[in-house]
Amino acid sequence: LMGGEADVFTLNLPEGARPEGNATRRDTGYDFARDGVGCVFQECSEQNRRIHQLWGDSATFDFLPYIGRMDLVFVDGAHTDFYVRNDTKRALGMVREGGVVLWHDLKYECPGVVNVLSELGQQLTLYNIKGTSFVACRIHKSATQSSSDKTQIP
């Protein structure tokens, strides 16, 4: 991981928990107990020390300790308008000046992602990575005024 200097934080629902906000069947159909959230990185002892598993629902999680501290925020959660708006607002708040927000699932099967990113693209420069469902945005706080005070998440 970045020469051993990067810390990775990952947020997942605890085992057996259901999303508190509006979510679709697609979003809740994963069997995380079977799949074992974190099972891949837990097997990698050296990198494991730099990966921090956080548990909670992004709709209610306290992101305050992470505001302005992240170089990269990867948004790949529930795909409803509600969650994409919420997670985007949180991501914009957590990313530092010059950092990047990366979204997954810009595709017709995920209309919430398409809707929110289409609207956000009116305010920020978004880049669809060719041949993928990824969208990236380099964040300049002067444009977003620390955590989206100026940028309105539709």
Side-chain angles (χ1 to χ4, degrees), residues 11 13-14 17-21 55-64 82-83 86-87 90:
L11 176 66
L13 285 172
R18 306 305 291 167
E20 295 185 29
W55 299 102
D57 186 322
S58 62
T60 57
F61 189 81
D62 179 12
F63 289 97
L64 191 59
F82 170 82
Y83 271 104
N86 173 75
D87 295 353
R90 305 298 188 199

Side-chain angles (χ1 to χ4, degrees), residues 66-73 90-101 124 137-148 150-151:
Y66 309 99
I67 299 298
R69 294 187 52 210
M70 302 296 159
D71 294 319
L72 172 71
V73 178
R90 305 298 188 199
L92 291 173
M94 288 187 292
V95 73
R96 67 165 177 75
E97 171 71 26
V100 173
V101 177
L124 297 174
C137 179
R138 181 168 302 276
I139 301 301
H140 302 285
K141 293 295 183 172
S142 58
T144 59
Q145 290 246 327
S146 115
S147 88
S148 74
K150 203 169 164 183
T151 301

Side-chain angles (χ1 to χ4, degrees), residues 76-92:
D76 184 24
H79 301 86
T80 60
D81 283 35
F82 170 82
Y83 271 104
V84 179
R85 285 185 204 319
N86 173 75
D87 295 353
T88 297
K89 181 176 181 179
R90 305 298 188 199
L92 291 173

Side-chain angles (χ1 to χ4, degrees), residues 11-12 26-27 30 73-79 87 102-105 110 113 134:
L11 176 66
N12 292 93
R26 170 186 168 88
D27 298 322
Y30 300 103
V73 178
F74 180 54
V75 179
D76 184 24
H79 301 86
D87 295 353
L102 182 66
W103 292 264
H104 187 237
D105 290 328
C110 302
V113 177
F134 292 102

